[in-house]
Amino acid sequence: MTGLISTAFGVIYSIMAYMLPDATIGNPMEPKIFPLMLGSGTTICGILLTVIEGRKKQAVKETKKANGLSHDSKLIIYTCFVTLVYALLFERIGYVLSTIIFMNAMLFALNGKEKWKTNLIVAAAFSIGVYVIFLKLLAIPLPMMPILEI
Amino acid sequence: MDVILQNLMNGFQVAFEPINLFWVTLGGILGTIIGMLPGLGPATGVAVLLPMTYAMGPTGALITMCGVYYGAMFGGSRSSILINTPGDGAAIAATFDGYPMAMNGRAEAALAISAIASFIGGMIATVFMIFLATPVARFALKFGPAEYFLLMLMAIAMTSSMNKGNVIKGFLSMFLGLMIAMVGLDPQSGVNRFTFGSLELQSGIDFLTVIIAIYALGEVFKCFKDIREGTKKMQTKFGKIWITREDWRRTWKPILRSTPLGFLIGALPGAGGTMAALMAYNNEKNLSKNPEDFGKGEIIGLAAPEAANNASSVGALIPMLSLGIPGSGTTAVMMGALLMLGLQPGPMLFQNHPDIAWGLIASMVVGNVILAIVNIPMAGALVRVLAIPPKILYPIILGLAFIGTYAISNSVIDFYIMIVFGIVGFFMEKAKIPSAPFILAIIVGNMMEISYRQALVISDGSMGIFVGSPIAITLLALTIGSVIMPIIKSMKKSRQGSSISMK
């Protein structure tokens, strides 16, 4: 799998590198040479990997097949989703509020609903703590809460 | 000679300023805490704590980072000893005998000897470094663009080929990293490359964002697998953390033997702390009169790799500081921190900013002393962090990672880039593609291309310039050697393997 994907990726990258616009000054190929070398390198690695993987598969037949998504894959997808929401809210509702939401979302998923008290405290303490440290100690302003302006 | 000592004295003056002493202590403690967390090592520590240093100015920031770097190394072995879970690769060797020692009721001695051995290893290695850094930097001043290109090529080729198990995947990782570095405006011709029409991508992908994504997000993703296990039982009450006279009599020689070994391995690109620690362990096992004691709580088996590990972490800073070329993932992150501060590591650093270069070296000495102090009497208090469930700590690491990226660029666009690279990091891990060559390539990628093109401009397009000087030929030979060696080795192995199975 890895081999095939890398080969395909290497070929596509090389084509894209070749299609890059020409330089207007000097040698028109200048900006393409290095990327072309990278594309070919990836393709070669991909082909080599495919050959090696093919050989191994003949020797050992694959026995394991994953059924459905594992617990950790689900958690990763969840984290990415929560981060997306976090990114969307970040500048709109300010650092403190968006981070409290983000931290709670993560803590409830990882730490469990039973420990909701700990989750709420940790999330609030972290958000407010970081905000104060950044603003007062490091002098880096973070997005403020709307209306209240704090 | 006198110049070195004088520079060093100036460096100490900088390091001993009260505020800098405070920073190195704070960095050390925070680094120790992150290092203790299972799966998170110095690279993550430096990446996550970077934002803390924004307002400190270059000297303070560097000194803090040094503390974090060292602290994470000390911390890594705490969790190896107490809960048999190494904080990072380099601390694996500390589980072999450290955990059995704790099981045998000698946790105090194990914690003490690991800190003592780390201290001695780090100290002696720093002395080596003081005398090596300037000559190496001076030598590097002779390098032209062709030699520089070859040097960078050698560094990442070695890192890629050191990848255990699969050299090709190491190189694949390197090519991917270089590709990321290509994104953005071509510095010489002004052509947009791989920006897909996005304005944000014109300035390139910030390597710090990628570093934080891979080392903070990616590592936390990896840890999700074990998160259900909950906290492991461990000893929380300790007696006096110290070793007996007998322990010292048996360990001082192995510590002294392992230090130069670790230092040399660390200075080589690609090898790093894990290999240094494992080699020191095997070395002592071979020298020992009763090798069967190793793995059952032999104190030498803990002292030797700890000394080698810390010595190698100092050695690894030499190519980064004096050549401007990092030799490992962790030093690549350190270099990222330097670049963020507007300092270009390399031979010129010692000429243009001697205060910073020597301040850093002096603060390594100071940091080492402070960490030994922190880690011996306070070890009992610090390891309580291990009792906090990782379920709470990982969200905090994530929160810190995001605030760090935001502080770099003041834009949420980087959140999306981080998600992408966090997932890339996770899939690379699943496909067993190592991350160190990837990170290294991202950092040196642009410099590599620029020196490649400069070299060709000088030679008027002739490739002959890459074999045009003895230095260039040597570097090229080493690069080719580092690529071919592991292939020959694995071919030999598979031939032996098939001949055995034939019997």
Side-chain angles (χ1 to χ4, degrees), chain A residues 6 9 13 16 21 30-31 34 38 41-42 45 52 71 76 79-80 83-84 90-91 95 110 138 142-143, chain B residues 52 55 168 172 175 178-179 186 189 191 193-194 196 224 228 391 402-403 406 412 416 423 426 449 453:
Chain A
S6 332
F9 185 71
Y13 187 88
M16 282 175 62
E30 267 275 300
F34 210 74
L38 302 181
T42 311
C45 284
I52 294 172
H71 178 70
I76 289 167
T79 311
C80 293
T83 311
L84 272 181
F90 198 79
E91 278 171 338
Y95 177 77
L110 293 178
L138 306 176
L142 298 172
Chain B
M52 202 177 82
I168 303 169
L172 195 63
F175 283 123
L178 287 173
M179 284 176 178
D186 172 26
S189 66
V191 169
R193 296 192 292 184
F194 307 102
F196 305 100
F224 277 171
R228 277 188 177 172
K391 292 170 187 174
F402 285 117
I403 188 60
Y406 184 81
V412 277
Y416 304 114
I423 298 173
F426 177 74
E449 194 196 5
R453 281 156 71 169

Side-chain angles (χ1 to χ4, degrees), chain B residues 75-232:
Chain B
S77 38
R78 311 282 100 170
S79 52
S80 292
I81 293 169
L82 292 174
I83 57 174
N84 204 17
T85 314
D88 68 315
I92 289 175
T95 60
F96 299 162
D97 280 291
Y99 186 62
M101 272 183 83
M103 289 285 98
N104 297 345
R106 299 208 63 211
E108 289 87 352
L111 290 172
I113 194 71
S114 115
I116 294 170
S118 300
F119 170 73
I120 299 176
M123 233 25 184
I124 297 178
T126 312
V127 175
F128 289 158
M129 178 171 176
I130 289 168
F131 292 103
L132 267 175
T134 343
V136 174
R138 214 169 280 156
F139 179 64
L141 283 176
K142 292 184 193 151
F143 284 24
E147 284 84 4
Y148 245 98
F149 170 75
L150 289 168
L151 184 68
M152 287 183 247
L153 189 68
M154 182 187 84
I156 46 180
M158 277 186 161
T159 315
S160 313
S161 70
M162 289 287 181
N163 178 30
K164 260 193 217 150
N166 201 328
V167 183
I168 303 169
K169 285 188 179 167
F171 280 98
L172 195 63
S173 165
M174 171 187 98
F175 283 123
L176 290 176
L178 287 173
M179 284 176 178
I180 305 293
M182 292 299 109
V183 174
L185 219 56
D186 172 26
Q188 288 182 15
S189 66
V191 169
N192 265 324
R193 296 192 292 184
F194 307 102
T195 53
F196 305 100
S198 152
L199 268 180
E200 274 80 15
L201 287 180
Q202 264 188 12
S203 53
I205 295 175
D206 194 334
F207 52 81
L208 282 173
T209 314
V210 183
I211 286 173
I212 297 181
I214 299 266
Y215 282 115
L217 237 63
E219 298 290 319
V220 170
F221 282 172
K222 242 191 265 175
C223 298
F224 277 171
K225 209 168 44 194
D226 315 312
I227 206 151
R228 277 188 177 172
E229 285 174 19
T231 35
K232 292 185 180 169

Side-chain angles (χ1 to χ4, degrees), chain B residues 24 53 56-68 320-321 334 337-338 341 343 349 356-357 359-360 363:
Chain B
V24 77
T53 64
M56 290 178 192
T59 321
L62 262 188
I63 287 173
T64 316
M65 285 296 126
C66 233
V68 174
M320 192 273 271
L321 273 182
M334 286 285 282
L338 279 166
L341 298 166
L343 299 165
L349 184 73
I356 287 175
L360 177 73
S363 60

